[in-house]
Amino acid sequence: GNPGDAKYGFTLPQLQEGLRILKEKGINPTVFFAPGHTFDENTLEALRAESDIRIISDTAANDTYCRKGFTFIPQQSGRVRKLPFRLTTVCLHPNFMTDNEFDEAEAFISKHSAEFIAPHSIKETARKKDLVDFLIEKMYFIKRIIRK
């Protein structure tokens, strides 16, 4: 598909504008996270064409994996917690968090600070998505549907 024709996700002009704004502020992003899992193949093509971003923080899986030249990192949402996965990212929503949730996040980060790594230290992987990853992903999205 054409990166400018996104049905679901981000169009090339949208990504170009977002990247322009970030770069004006001195920020050169290396990781992409789409709000609400709203990215598609067109988004990936636009990222490839317009940026150096090759890490996507947005998947439900057992471990990082490679797809179409991008490294996908499992992402836990909503709150920080210890999970049985090798590497995950977290997506906090501070505009909806309570004071107690901020305290919990701060305590978790303090307790586990030695386990955090910088995005630039994440190595590319040749690992492909496997059956366990597919099952985790299906369970995640079924759980989301049931919650609604």
Side-chain angles (χ1 to χ4, degrees):
N2 178 345
D5 298 332
K7 287 190 249 178
Y8 177 73
F10 292 88
T11 64
L12 183 59
Q14 288 170 320
L15 284 170
Q16 287 170 327
E17 178 66 6
L19 289 166
R20 183 191 64 74
I21 291 168
L22 290 171
K23 287 179 181 178
E24 278 180 3
K25 298 182 181 295
I27 300 169
N28 187 26
T30 58
V31 178
F32 180 78
F33 174 77
H37 309 286
T38 55
F39 73 94
D40 60 7
E41 296 303 315
N42 290 319
T43 306
L44 297 178
E45 290 306 315
L47 285 170
R48 184 183 333 280
E50 293 297 318
S51 75
D52 295 327
I53 294 172
R54 296 297 178 268
I55 298 172
I56 309 294
S57 168
D58 192 3
T59 189
N62 186 45
D63 199 353
T64 59
Y65 62 87
C66 179
R67 185 167 69 85
K68 297 190 176 190
F70 289 90
T71 298
F72 286 79
I73 303 171
Q75 189 268 324
Q76 58 173 300
S77 62
R79 64 184 174 92
V80 291
R81 60 196 178 280
K82 193 80 167 154
L83 293 173
F85 308 123
R86 189 181 71 76
L87 181 68
T88 63
T89 60
V90 64
C91 176
L92 299 176
H93 300 95
N95 49 328
F96 298 113
M97 290 171 62
T98 65
D99 288 344
N100 187 50
E101 290 169 325
F102 275 106
D103 292 342
E104 287 174 2
E106 185 177 359
F108 182 90
I109 291 166
S110 292
K111 179 178 179 181
H112 297 280
S113 63
E115 299 170 55
F116 284 78
I117 62 171
H120 66 271
S121 68
I122 297 168
K123 305 293 182 227
E124 271 189 46
T125 180
R127 180 183 177 277
K128 302 295 181 203
K129 208 171 187 181
D130 64 19
L131 179 60
V132 173
D133 298 320
F134 281 109
L135 292 172
I136 290 170
E137 182 179 56
K138 294 300 175 205
M139 289 184 333
Y140 172 79
F141 283 106
I142 288 170
K143 183 179 173 184
R144 281 184 63 165
I145 291 168
I146 290 171
R147 280 186 177 170
K148 290 181 181 183

